[in-house]
Amino acid sequence: MPSTKRNKSETSESLAIKGLGVSDGFAIGPVYVLHADNFRIHERTLKSEDEIVQETSRFQQALDITREQLDQLIRDAKSKYGKEYSAILESHFLMLEDQEMIRGTLKNIKSVKMNAEAAFAAVMDKFKTGFLKSNNEYLRERANDLEDVKRRLLGNLLGQQRSFDIPEASVIVADTIKPSDIAGIDRNKILGFVSEAGSKLSHFSIVARSLNIPAIVGIANLTGIISKDDTLLLDGHTGELIINPDKKDIDRIKTKSRQIAKKETDLETVAKLPCVTNDGYEVALCANVELPEEVENALHLGAQGIGLYRTEYMLFSARELPDEETQYREYRRIAEKNHPHKITMRTFDVGGDKIPLEILTAKGYVHEDNPFLGWRAIRIALEYPDFFIPQIRAMLRLSSEFNVEIMIPMVINLSEMREAKRIIEQCKQELRRQDIPFNENIPVGMMIETPGAAILAQEFAAEVDFFSIGTNDLVQYTLAVDRGNPKVSGLYNCFHPAILRLIKQTIAAGHQRKIHVAMCGEMASNPYAAILLLGMGLHEFSVLPPVLTKIKKIIRSVSKTEAEAFASEILVMSDVAEIEKKVSLRTKAILG
């Protein structure tokens, strides 16, 4: 995390600092610092039954008040900021309803004889520690949501709710910005955000993007070096922050802003055009999503449907496995937003690194030193059908009204795919007996994300209706590189010749068996890979919503024949650096 040293008396000097841009845009204005809550929780032992009753009542009252506050915030957010922000606050409301949290707090009060604030803080800190230990970035970021809920309820217990009196439109700076902080600030007073902590996956970042507020995270000790008299200029595209910018800095950013605005206008025009090469070859362009709130934006940017719906997001804050009806309702929310387009629903792609252990311990889970090579995804589903069947039934029911595909992750053996298909057929038979409608011909496909699956693509193609290539794991497993390990992450490269040849082999197997071949991994979202993948014969790109228009522009700028010739050149090359140079030059000639 970048940091710098600066004497607060040096307020007239310009200083540039680099952070991580998480929401595009530019802002310049005075600084306003949101100071952290300074709750002091003093644990004390309850000495009488009357005290236990009193502390139980205090907790219940604080819980009720916090519910009322969040309910009002949710209503305000829906009317002022839209569904994406309100959905995040709704997830906070659900945390308040978590029965394990409530039972744990009451147990600490009644059995351990702790006062209410200490009892509640102990439970929330335990949950937070579990999230922070996860290898999954999304789960680690959810620890901030727990902290937000914890802070609000503790404030009600202690009678210390903070409010913000921002005198003028400002750049808001804090050590950590919580989603509920934003709800408490007049939107007209927010020019931009800078947070010392956070990532692209933090809910604060998601909210900033949904509200089109420029934001930067990852600048350590910023609140310690800025002064209340400073002016800040931030570039949410690059993560650049300038304290007290001079005229040259301001003019440079204004010029850059005009250039980006023109490019975005051009790309918005592209969003409305069909995804075809300039010689008329049609390519499917879909989006990767995990939240219903992401669908509308993806369709606006030109997505033709959802090529990867990560259903496992439902488990990230769950304490028990959602039942069939819960899953069906949630899937329906996203299918309705996506209708009439197709939605490819991946069954739970999870292991001990991704979901709370409470769900798995009952099924024999033990700690794994390397969960990426362990008990996960289809391996859990086949060993414990009660983990798999409710999800399959919910997906099948959804298919009676919507264009649904089922995709199985992490398959390495033909026997696994055949057993998954057998269970799907068993679910179909149950639904027929119950007179519950579903699509009898629902497509069932699999992810190709290991070298073993890619090598056996010819055999797998005879078993499924489609492939979707998951390059994230394919690269990691093929090259024996942990991309989360900074010592070797530089070796993680989707343009390695071995990766390209496995991809080509997979696509060729799909063509031979006449099945649809998609790619939903990060490589599909890489503009430099677009012409190459098109030339290899990829039928569908499923990408992150922000790059939809870029990928479409590239596809529309070349012919299928040109792309095939380019791919042929690349596939005989053996030097990664040379491959990267060639694809980079070819793409930059289109995007500028």
Side-chain angles (χ1 to χ4, degrees):
M1 181 182 289
S3 64
T4 189
K5 293 182 180 180
R6 174 178 181 257
N7 190 312
K8 281 199 174 187
S9 65
E10 300 171 346
T11 56
S12 62
E13 293 187 8
S14 177
L15 176 66
I17 311 173
K18 193 75 165 62
L20 174 67
V22 296
S23 182
D24 291 346
F26 305 95
I28 182 169
V31 63
Y32 183 90
V33 178
L34 298 184
H35 294 287
D37 290 312
N38 190 25
F39 292 139
R40 293 188 177 182
I41 301 173
H42 299 288
E43 182 178 340
R44 59 186 176 85
T45 303
L46 307 181
K47 297 179 180 179
S48 69
E49 190 62 32
D50 286 345
E51 283 188 296
I52 292 174
V53 171
Q54 182 180 4
E55 292 303 296
T56 300
S57 177
R58 286 184 65 229
F59 171 66
Q60 293 287 8
Q61 288 175 11
L63 189 60
D64 289 340
I65 292 170
T66 307
R67 286 175 178 140
E68 290 174 7
Q69 290 171 342
L70 274 176
D71 187 56
Q72 184 61 52
L73 284 176
I74 291 166
R75 288 199 298 270
D76 291 346
K78 283 180 179 177
S79 62
K80 294 178 182 178
Y81 303 126
K83 293 181 180 179
E84 188 161 8
Y85 183 20
S86 64
I88 290 171
L89 296 177
E90 284 170 354
S91 74
H92 289 194
F93 193 92
L94 291 176
M95 289 178 183
L96 282 179
E97 299 297 302
D98 187 283
Q99 292 304 304
E100 187 174 349
M101 178 275 289
I102 295 172
R103 285 195 299 267
T105 302
L106 293 176
K107 180 180 178 182
N108 283 344
I109 294 172
K110 295 175 181 179
S111 300
V112 186
K113 295 181 168 43
M114 297 168 68
N115 55 311
E117 45 267 58
F120 173 67
V123 171
M124 294 298 278
D125 288 344
K126 179 183 176 182
F127 288 168
K128 183 178 176 181
T129 299
F131 279 122
L132 289 173
K133 285 181 178 178
S134 173
N135 293 325
N136 182 271
E137 185 181 0
Y138 182 95
L139 276 185
R140 290 196 301 274
E141 286 298 338
R142 297 298 70 78
N144 287 327
D145 295 300
L146 283 172
E147 186 64 27
D148 198 352
V149 173
K150 171 189 166 186
R151 186 192 71 187
R152 180 169 291 278
L153 195 143
L154 282 176
N156 287 322
L157 272 170
L158 300 168
Q160 298 179 23
Q161 283 297 349
R162 64 176 177 175
S163 60
F164 309 114
D165 182 19
I166 303 176
E168 59 183 328
S170 305
V171 176
I172 311 300
V173 176
D175 58 349
T176 302
I177 298 175
K178 306 291 196 301
S180 64
D181 288 336
I182 301 173
I185 303 173
D186 181 349
R187 174 65 181 85
N188 296 320
K189 299 288 182 68
I190 305 172
L191 297 175
F193 288 117
V194 187
S195 177
E196 294 180 0
S199 76
K200 282 187 178 290
L201 291 180
S202 62
H203 271 161
F204 149 68
S205 301
I206 294 170
V207 171
R209 288 193 292 272
S210 72
L211 301 179
N212 295 314
I213 299 174
I216 298 173
V217 301
I219 301 179
N221 194 38
L222 180 62
T223 55
I225 63 173
I226 58 175
S227 165
K228 64 181 178 63
D229 298 319
D230 283 336
T231 295
L232 299 184
L233 186 156
L234 69 89
D235 181 346
H237 300 271
T238 64
E240 181 184 18
L241 177 73
I242 302 176
I243 302 175
N244 296 320
D246 56 27
K247 185 177 184 302
K248 185 178 177 182
D249 293 324
I250 295 170
D251 289 344
R252 173 174 60 83
I253 290 298
K254 285 182 177 178
T255 300
K256 184 177 178 182
S257 178
R258 287 192 294 268
Q259 292 170 343
I260 289 176
K262 184 180 183 305
K263 281 187 178 180
E264 288 177 347
T265 299
D266 293 342
L267 289 175
E268 283 184 12
T269 301
V270 170
K272 301 172 185 176
L273 300 173
C275 189
V276 294
T277 61
N278 61 23
D279 57 352
Y281 179 79
E282 189 172 348
V283 179
L285 182 60
C286 297
N288 297 344
V289 304
E290 59 188 23
L291 299 171
E293 292 71 30
E294 297 174 303
V295 178
E296 187 175 348
N297 182 52
L299 296 178
H300 173 72
L301 292 171
Q304 297 166 296
I306 298 172
L308 169 61
Y309 172 35
R310 301 182 181 96
T311 61
E312 57 272 9
Y313 96 92
M314 293 182 66
L315 305 180
F316 289 166
S317 58
R319 294 290 154 187
E320 58 186 12
L321 188 66
D323 61 20
E324 176 187 330
E325 198 58 38
T326 300
Q327 293 186 53
Y328 174 76
R329 286 196 303 269
E330 189 63 22
Y331 299 158
R332 189 179 180 88
R333 283 180 63 207
I334 201 164
E336 286 175 342
K337 290 175 179 289
N338 183 62
H339 189 67
H341 307 289
K342 74 112 174 188
I343 173 172
T344 303
M345 307 182 73
R346 183 175 69 186
T347 57
F348 295 140
D349 184 14
V350 291
D353 64 313
K354 288 187 178 179
I355 63 176
L357 297 184
E358 288 89 338
I359 291 177
L360 292 181
T361 47
K363 301 188 180 301
Y365 173 82
V366 293
H367 173 74
E368 298 174 294
D369 290 330
N370 190 346
F372 292 102
L373 296 177
W375 195 49
R376 60 183 300 116
I378 193 62
R379 299 167 184 176
I380 297 174
L382 296 185
E383 185 170 351
Y384 291 95
D386 60 327
F387 190 83
F388 192 44
I389 288 173
Q391 182 172 43
I392 295 299
R393 283 178 56 94
M395 291 178 177
L396 287 171
R397 288 169 56 193
L398 196 72
S399 73
S400 69
E401 296 181 64
F402 302 98
N403 186 1
V404 174
E405 298 179 345
I406 296 175
M407 182 163 67
I408 311 297
M410 206 64 186
V411 178
I412 61 170
N413 293 313
L414 287 166
S415 59
E416 290 173 325
M417 195 62 230
R418 288 167 180 164
E419 179 62 11
K421 287 166 61 181
R422 187 194 67 77
I423 293 174
I424 292 171
E425 182 55 38
Q426 174 188 319
C427 291
K428 287 182 176 182
Q429 291 175 2
E430 292 172 357
L431 292 174
R432 289 187 197 106
R433 284 196 298 269
Q434 296 169 333
D435 289 325
I436 297 174
F438 63 91
N439 177 11
E440 290 280 358
N441 299 311
I442 185 171
V444 176
M446 63 176 281
M447 291 193 67
I448 300 289
E449 51 189 334
T450 68
I455 291 168
L456 290 177
Q458 190 74 248
E459 288 83 353
F460 277 120
E463 297 288 333
V464 298
D465 298 310
F466 65 90
F467 285 153
S468 188
I469 303 170
T471 53
N472 302 11
D473 282 341
L474 182 62
V475 174
Q476 189 164 238
Y477 294 141
T478 303
L479 302 184
V481 171
D482 177 2
R483 59 182 177 155
N485 181 342
K487 291 285 188 183
V488 297
S489 60
L491 299 173
Y492 180 95
N493 195 314
C494 65
F495 293 108
H496 190 288
I499 303 300
L500 300 183
R501 292 170 195 178
L502 286 173
I503 291 171
K504 176 59 179 174
Q505 179 177 325
T506 300
I507 294 173
H511 284 196
Q512 187 171 342
R513 290 285 184 174
K514 293 183 171 52
I515 67 168
H516 189 75
V517 183
M519 179 180 288
C520 61
E522 285 181 1
M523 188 177 183
S525 296
N526 186 338
Y528 292 163
I531 299 175
L532 175 58
L533 294 171
L534 176 65
M536 287 184 186
L538 190 69
H539 297 127
E540 176 187 315
F541 292 72
S542 188
V543 306
L544 300 173
V547 300
L548 280 160
T549 50
K550 284 185 180 179
I551 300 298
K552 184 184 287 188
K553 181 175 181 178
I554 294 168
I555 291 170
R556 288 181 55 83
S557 300
V558 298
S559 70
K560 183 72 161 56
T561 304
E562 288 173 326
E564 288 171 342
F566 183 71
S568 296
E569 289 180 44
I570 297 295
L571 286 168
V572 297
M573 297 173 68
S574 56
D575 185 272
V576 178
E578 287 300 313
I579 292 172
E580 287 187 303
K581 181 180 179 181
K582 197 172 185 70
V583 297
S584 173
L585 288 172
R586 185 73 178 85
T587 307
K588 286 178 178 177
I590 295 172
L591 292 180

Short mmCIF file of all heavy atoms in Angstrom, two decimals, residues 111-137:
data_model
loop_
_atom_site.label_atom_id
_atom_site.label_comp_id
_atom_site.label_asym_id
_atom_site.label_seq_id
_atom_site.Cartn_x
_atom_site.Cartn_y
_atom_site.Cartn_z
N SER A 111 -24.58 -16.46 29.76
CA SER A 111 -23.74 -17.53 30.28
C SER A 111 -22.35 -17.04 30.67
O SER A 111 -21.82 -17.41 31.73
CB SER A 111 -23.60 -18.65 29.24
OG SER A 111 -24.88 -19.18 28.93
N VAL A 112 -21.75 -16.20 29.81
CA VAL A 112 -20.41 -15.69 30.10
C VAL A 112 -20.48 -14.48 31.03
O VAL A 112 -19.51 -14.08 31.64
CB VAL A 112 -19.66 -15.34 28.79
CG1 VAL A 112 -18.21 -14.97 29.07
CG2 VAL A 112 -19.71 -16.52 27.82
N LYS A 113 -21.72 -13.89 31.12
CA LYS A 113 -21.98 -12.74 31.98
C LYS A 113 -21.18 -11.50 31.54
O LYS A 113 -20.58 -10.80 32.35
CB LYS A 113 -21.71 -13.08 33.44
CG LYS A 113 -22.67 -14.14 34.00
CD LYS A 113 -22.40 -14.43 35.46
CE LYS A 113 -23.51 -15.25 36.09
NZ LYS A 113 -24.00 -16.38 35.28
N MET A 114 -21.19 -11.24 30.23
CA MET A 114 -20.55 -10.05 29.66
C MET A 114 -21.59 -8.96 29.46
O MET A 114 -22.75 -9.26 29.17
CB MET A 114 -19.89 -10.38 28.32
CG MET A 114 -18.77 -11.41 28.40
SD MET A 114 -18.26 -12.01 26.74
CE MET A 114 -17.52 -10.54 26.06
N ASN A 115 -21.17 -7.72 29.59
CA ASN A 115 -22.07 -6.61 29.28
C ASN A 115 -22.37 -6.60 27.78
O ASN A 115 -21.64 -7.18 26.97
CB ASN A 115 -21.48 -5.27 29.72
CG ASN A 115 -20.11 -5.01 29.15
OD1 ASN A 115 -19.23 -5.87 29.22
ND2 ASN A 115 -19.90 -3.82 28.60
N ALA A 116 -23.46 -5.94 27.37
CA ALA A 116 -24.01 -6.08 26.02
C ALA A 116 -23.01 -5.70 24.93
O ALA A 116 -22.84 -6.43 23.95
CB ALA A 116 -25.27 -5.24 25.89
N GLU A 117 -22.33 -4.53 25.07
CA GLU A 117 -21.42 -4.10 24.02
C GLU A 117 -20.24 -5.05 23.84
O GLU A 117 -19.82 -5.35 22.72
CB GLU A 117 -20.94 -2.66 24.22
CG GLU A 117 -20.51 -2.32 25.62
CD GLU A 117 -21.63 -1.73 26.45
OE1 GLU A 117 -22.67 -2.41 26.59
OE2 GLU A 117 -21.47 -0.61 26.95
N ALA A 118 -19.70 -5.53 24.97
CA ALA A 118 -18.58 -6.46 24.89
C ALA A 118 -19.04 -7.80 24.31
O ALA A 118 -18.32 -8.43 23.52
CB ALA A 118 -17.97 -6.67 26.27
N ALA A 119 -20.24 -8.25 24.69
CA ALA A 119 -20.77 -9.53 24.19
C ALA A 119 -20.97 -9.48 22.68
O ALA A 119 -20.60 -10.42 21.96
CB ALA A 119 -22.09 -9.83 24.89
N PHE A 120 -21.56 -8.39 22.20
CA PHE A 120 -21.81 -8.24 20.76
C PHE A 120 -20.50 -8.08 19.99
O PHE A 120 -20.29 -8.73 18.96
CB PHE A 120 -22.70 -7.02 20.54
CG PHE A 120 -22.89 -6.66 19.09
CD1 PHE A 120 -23.58 -7.50 18.23
CD2 PHE A 120 -22.35 -5.48 18.59
CE1 PHE A 120 -23.74 -7.16 16.89
CE2 PHE A 120 -22.52 -5.13 17.27
CZ PHE A 120 -23.21 -5.98 16.40
N ALA A 121 -19.59 -7.24 20.49
CA ALA A 121 -18.31 -7.02 19.80
C ALA A 121 -17.52 -8.32 19.68
O ALA A 121 -16.89 -8.58 18.66
CB ALA A 121 -17.50 -5.95 20.52
N ALA A 122 -17.56 -9.15 20.70
CA ALA A 122 -16.80 -10.42 20.68
C ALA A 122 -17.30 -11.33 19.56
O ALA A 122 -16.51 -11.96 18.85
CB ALA A 122 -16.91 -11.12 22.03
N VAL A 123 -18.62 -11.40 19.41
CA VAL A 123 -19.20 -12.25 18.36
C VAL A 123 -18.84 -11.71 16.98
O VAL A 123 -18.41 -12.45 16.09
CB VAL A 123 -20.73 -12.34 18.52
CG1 VAL A 123 -21.35 -13.04 17.32
CG2 VAL A 123 -21.08 -13.09 19.80
N MET A 124 -19.01 -10.41 16.78
CA MET A 124 -18.73 -9.82 15.47
C MET A 124 -17.25 -9.91 15.12
O MET A 124 -16.88 -10.13 13.95
CB MET A 124 -19.20 -8.37 15.44
CG MET A 124 -20.71 -8.21 15.56
SD MET A 124 -21.62 -8.97 14.18
CE MET A 124 -21.50 -7.68 12.95
N ASP A 125 -16.38 -9.75 16.10
CA ASP A 125 -14.93 -9.86 15.85
C ASP A 125 -14.55 -11.28 15.45
O ASP A 125 -13.67 -11.48 14.61
CB ASP A 125 -14.14 -9.44 17.09
CG ASP A 125 -14.19 -7.94 17.32
OD1 ASP A 125 -14.57 -7.21 16.38
OD2 ASP A 125 -13.86 -7.50 18.44
N LYS A 126 -15.25 -12.26 16.03
CA LYS A 126 -14.99 -13.66 15.65
C LYS A 126 -15.38 -13.89 14.20
O LYS A 126 -14.63 -14.51 13.43
CB LYS A 126 -15.77 -14.60 16.57
CG LYS A 126 -15.58 -16.08 16.22
CD LYS A 126 -16.44 -16.96 17.13
CE LYS A 126 -16.32 -18.42 16.72
NZ LYS A 126 -17.20 -19.29 17.55
N PHE A 127 -16.56 -13.40 13.81
CA PHE A 127 -16.99 -13.53 12.42
C PHE A 127 -16.00 -12.83 11.49
O PHE A 127 -15.61 -13.35 10.44
CB PHE A 127 -18.38 -12.91 12.22
CG PHE A 127 -19.51 -13.69 12.82
CD1 PHE A 127 -20.77 -13.14 12.93
CD2 PHE A 127 -19.32 -14.98 13.29
CE1 PHE A 127 -21.83 -13.85 13.48
CE2 PHE A 127 -20.37 -15.70 13.86
CZ PHE A 127 -21.62 -15.14 13.94
N LYS A 128 -15.61 -11.62 11.88
CA LYS A 128 -14.71 -10.83 11.04
C LYS A 128 -13.37 -11.53 10.85
O LYS A 128 -12.83 -11.56 9.74
CB LYS A 128 -14.50 -9.45 11.68
CG LYS A 128 -13.63 -8.52 10.86
CD LYS A 128 -13.51 -7.15 11.54
CE LYS A 128 -12.54 -6.25 10.78
NZ LYS A 128 -12.40 -4.92 11.44
N THR A 129 -12.85 -12.12 11.91
CA THR A 129 -11.57 -12.84 11.81
C THR A 129 -11.67 -13.99 10.83
O THR A 129 -10.76 -14.23 10.03
CB THR A 129 -11.15 -13.38 13.20
OG1 THR A 129 -10.99 -12.27 14.09
CG2 THR A 129 -9.85 -14.15 13.11
N GLY A 130 -12.81 -14.69 10.84
CA GLY A 130 -13.01 -15.79 9.89
C GLY A 130 -12.98 -15.32 8.45
O GLY A 130 -12.37 -15.95 7.58
N PHE A 131 -13.62 -14.17 8.18
CA PHE A 131 -13.61 -13.62 6.83
C PHE A 131 -12.21 -13.19 6.42
O PHE A 131 -11.77 -13.43 5.29
CB PHE A 131 -14.57 -12.43 6.73
CG PHE A 131 -16.01 -12.80 6.56
CD1 PHE A 131 -16.97 -12.38 7.47
CD2 PHE A 131 -16.41 -13.57 5.48
CE1 PHE A 131 -18.30 -12.72 7.32
CE2 PHE A 131 -17.75 -13.91 5.33
CZ PHE A 131 -18.70 -13.50 6.24
N LEU A 132 -11.48 -12.55 7.33
CA LEU A 132 -10.16 -12.02 7.00
C LEU A 132 -9.14 -13.14 6.72
O LEU A 132 -8.17 -12.92 6.00
CB LEU A 132 -9.64 -11.13 8.13
CG LEU A 132 -10.36 -9.79 8.29
CD1 LEU A 132 -9.88 -9.08 9.55
CD2 LEU A 132 -10.13 -8.91 7.07
N LYS A 133 -9.38 -14.32 7.27
CA LYS A 133 -8.46 -15.44 7.04
C LYS A 133 -8.66 -16.10 5.68
O LYS A 133 -7.84 -16.89 5.24
CB LYS A 133 -8.65 -16.50 8.14
CG LYS A 133 -8.06 -16.12 9.48
CD LYS A 133 -8.28 -17.24 10.49
CE LYS A 133 -7.65 -16.88 11.83
NZ LYS A 133 -7.89 -17.96 12.84
N SER A 134 -9.76 -15.76 5.01
CA SER A 134 -10.07 -16.41 3.73
C SER A 134 -9.05 -16.04 2.66
O SER A 134 -8.51 -14.94 2.63
CB SER A 134 -11.47 -16.01 3.26
OG SER A 134 -11.71 -16.49 1.95
N ASN A 135 -8.79 -16.98 1.75
CA ASN A 135 -7.95 -16.71 0.58
C ASN A 135 -8.72 -15.95 -0.49
O ASN A 135 -8.13 -15.51 -1.47
CB ASN A 135 -7.43 -18.03 -0.02
CG ASN A 135 -6.46 -18.72 0.90
OD1 ASN A 135 -5.70 -18.08 1.60
ND2 ASN A 135 -6.49 -20.05 0.92
N ASN A 136 -10.03 -15.84 -0.30
CA ASN A 136 -10.88 -15.22 -1.30
C ASN A 136 -11.02 -13.73 -1.02
O ASN A 136 -11.46 -13.33 0.06
CB ASN A 136 -12.25 -15.90 -1.29
CG ASN A 136 -13.17 -15.33 -2.34
OD1 ASN A 136 -13.88 -14.37 -2.06
ND2 ASN A 136 -13.18 -15.91 -3.52
N GLU A 137 -10.65 -12.89 -2.00
CA GLU A 137 -10.66 -11.44 -1.78
C GLU A 137 -12.06 -10.92 -1.49
O GLU A 137 -12.25 -10.03 -0.67
CB GLU A 137 -10.08 -10.72 -3.00
CG GLU A 137 -9.94 -9.22 -2.79
CD GLU A 137 -9.39 -8.50 -4.01
OE1 GLU A 137 -9.10 -9.17 -5.02
OE2 GLU A 137 -9.27 -7.26 -3.95
#
